[in-house]
Amino acid sequence: MFAVYAAEPNHEDPLASLRIGDRPDPEVPDGHVAVTVTAASLNLHDLWTLRGVGITPEQFPMILGCDGAGVLPDGSEVVVYPIITSPGWIGEETLDPRRTLLTEKLQGTFADVVVVPARNVLPKPASLTFPEAACIGTAWLTAYRMLFVKSGLRPGQTMLVQGASGGVSTALIQLGRATGMRVWVTGRSEGKRALARSLGAHETFEPGARLPERVDAVFETVGKATWSHSAKSLKPGGIIVCSGATTGDADRAELQRLFFLQLRMVGSTMGTRDELRDLLSYLDLTGLRPHIGAELPMSDAKQAFTAMLDGDTAGKIVFTR
Ligand SMILES: NC(=O)c1ccc[n+]([C@@H]2O[C@H](COP(=O)([O-])OP(=O)(O)OC[C@H]3O[C@@H](n4cnc5c(N)ncnc54)[C@H](OP(=O)(O)O)[C@@H]3O)[C@@H](O)[C@H]2O)c1
């Protein structure tokens, strides 16, 4: 079948191991389902996989793509839930120490067909298009958990999102605005800041800028480049919710601020299957939709990976077939 895959880990030049071609048709073990993929979306995680981060060398070649939406053999329309729990695990999926994400052990969604455990598909609301539904399983689920499960923010409070144009950032901006938060955003260019404002940001700033006042919560996926600013931007008792470190680990943990201002720093990873169900329902009920910055055929995947590597994103990048 047609697939977009990583041939081998390549830390220095991730695009050099990107392949667009044929992979064997998958088998469907008991308890699994085959989803004919209609749309899939790109996440920075796919670049980590090309680099060999979070995946062992013997797992290559690996079909990329954590997110997707498609159709089961009986015609039902589904969204893929990307967290694969270990056998026998009961409880919150994100707390399973042996969980994997699609593309870490199981082959991913950038293909004609993806095979996942039966519990890893959820019904797609009819009101969402396939490209919209393909954005939800990773970036939007991560943002939903950060905001609604981890931050403790109430409508009317002020949130700062570090990064304007990324998948998680745009989801946070849209969810925050739709829920009545005051949304402030940093972005690396005026174009990215304008995008954030068009998605609902009340005010935007250059990275590291002094804010008009301190905020109740900061949403972090950037890491080293913004962490200090995040800690300095918080009110006493405020919270940083962190789900990523794109630019690496922070040089300074800001421990003096942490204890003196009684800050809270909380990690967040993906979301549970129940949270994905609730997020799909939220989108269905509110009419809120993920901002898709680019939609292109899977065969043009290299162009999309290059744009993400260059930081040239404007919301989610979706592949259609
Ligand atoms: N823990 C989890 O479950 C989970 C889930 C999803 C994602 N993540 C992680 O979250 C991160 C973002 O993922 P994504 O898919 O949203 O990536 P993405 O679409 O490529 O977005 C990257 C974002 O990072 C910002 N950024 C990058 N370098 C920066 C720098 N030097 N200074 C300031 N901002 C910078 C960009 O800001 P501009 O808009 O200003 O360019 C952009 O908003 C990744 O590290 C990913 O691995 C983790």
Side-chain angles (χ1 to χ4, degrees):
M1 66 174 177
F2 174 83
V4 176
Y5 62 98
E8 70 263 318
N10 190 331
H11 200 268
E12 280 67 43
D13 186 7
L15 296 187
S17 51
L18 183 67
R19 300 281 185 281
I20 298 170
D22 277 331
R23 294 297 299 148
D25 287 343
E27 292 180 0
V28 187
D30 280 351
H32 289 59
V33 292
V35 181
T36 300
V37 177
T38 309
S41 78
L42 183 62
N43 290 286
L44 205 63
H45 191 275
D46 298 304
L47 276 170
W48 297 134
T49 304
L50 285 163
R51 291 185 196 276
V53 176
I55 175 171
T56 52
E58 63 273 14
Q59 299 293 339
F60 289 84
M62 175 59 73
I63 299 174
L64 297 163
C66 303
D67 282 343
V71 182
L72 295 181
D74 69 3
S76 38
E77 299 180 348
V78 294
V79 178
V80 172
Y81 174 59
I83 296 185
I84 315 295
T85 48
S86 56
W89 174 260
I90 44 171
E92 223 186 83
E93 292 88 347
T94 59
L95 297 178
D96 176 0
R98 292 191 294 127
R99 72 187 184 280
T100 57
L101 202 58
L102 213 56
T103 72
E104 289 173 356
K105 282 205 175 138
L106 296 191
Q107 304 287 321
T109 56
F110 295 170
D112 290 334
V113 174
V114 62
V115 173
V116 293
R119 76 180 302 278
N120 284 75
V121 293
L122 286 171
K124 178 183 85 62
S127 62
L128 264 71
T129 64
F130 280 105
E132 289 164 352
C135 298
I136 308 304
T138 297
W140 273 69
L141 179 60
T142 301
Y144 180 88
R145 182 174 175 85
M146 291 172 81
L147 181 56
F148 295 120
V149 181
K150 295 288 188 172
S151 80
L153 276 192
R154 298 187 305 276
Q157 294 191 298
T158 303
M159 59 189 276
L160 175 68
V161 182
Q162 296 284 20
S165 68
V168 178
S169 297
T170 51
L172 282 163
I173 296 164
Q174 292 187 256
L175 286 168
R177 180 62 189 235
T179 319
M181 311 297 175
R182 188 201 282 164
V183 183
W184 289 355
V185 178
T186 63
R188 288 183 289 174
S189 68
E190 179 45 34
K192 286 168 183 274
R193 294 190 288 274
L195 171 72
R197 292 192 296 275
S198 76
L199 296 178
H202 293 90
E203 286 192 62
T204 58
F205 306 90
E206 292 183 13
R210 190 182 179 87
L211 303 178
E213 60 187 66
R214 294 210 165 99
V215 303
D216 298 289
V218 184
F219 293 83
E220 258 290 352
T221 58
V222 179
K224 183 175 184 151
T226 52
W227 186 261
S228 223
H229 180 249
S230 294
K232 287 174 186 154
S233 299
L234 280 178
K235 284 179 184 167
I239 185 168
I240 299 178
V241 185
C242 174
S243 72
T246 302
T247 58
D249 207 345
D251 290 329
R252 291 167 53 95
E254 301 291 350
L255 293 181
Q256 283 182 334
R257 281 181 184 275
L258 179 74
F259 66 77
F260 189 68
L261 298 175
Q262 301 186 73
L263 306 181
R264 291 161 297 147
M265 294 174 177
V266 170
S268 192
T269 279
M270 300 291 288
T272 65
R273 185 174 177 274
D274 285 347
E275 287 158 9
L276 177 57
R277 188 190 302 277
D278 293 344
L279 170 57
L280 290 167
S281 169
Y282 178 96
L283 299 175
D284 189 34
L285 291 167
T286 59
L288 186 70
R289 293 294 177 267
H291 176 73
I292 296 173
E295 193 175 309
L296 63 176
M298 225 176 253
S299 49
D300 290 346
K302 185 154 190 195
Q303 188 185 324
F305 275 84
T306 305
M308 183 168 267
L309 187 64
D310 293 345
D312 186 16
T313 52
K316 288 295 294 175
I317 299 174
V318 175
F319 297 131
T320 49
R321 297 199 41 258

